[in-house]
Amino acid sequence: MNALAIFLGVIGAPQVILIIAIVLLLFGGKKIPELMKGLGGGVKEFKNAMKDDQPANSKKEEETKEKE
């Protein structure tokens, strides 16, 4: 773990600015909002899928409550 930390160093403001500049150069200013919109949509779908995926026991409990 220490070797990895030494190799990568500490990520600070200059490194973040460099990464943002590289992304801007690669994708351009117009493409980035589209990429972020797609990423946000993916995260939203993932959250909805996690919310819908309930354990089997809780589904059975809900069904018994509905019958009563």
Side-chain angles (χ1 to χ4, degrees), residues 13 20 30:
I20 291 171
K30 292 183 180 180

Side-chain angles (χ1 to χ4, degrees), residues 11-43:
I11 297 176
Q15 288 82 7
V16 171
I17 292 170
L18 180 65
I19 291 170
I20 291 171
I22 291 171
V23 169
L24 278 171
L25 287 173
L26 289 176
F27 296 109
K30 292 183 180 180
K31 194 72 171 173
I32 292 176
E34 294 174 14
L35 292 171
M36 293 297 114
K37 185 177 179 182
L39 182 64
V43 170

Side-chain angles (χ1 to χ4, degrees), residues 7 21 23 30 54 58 66:
F7 177 72
V23 169
K30 292 183 180 180
Q54 297 175 354
S58 64
E66 289 176 2

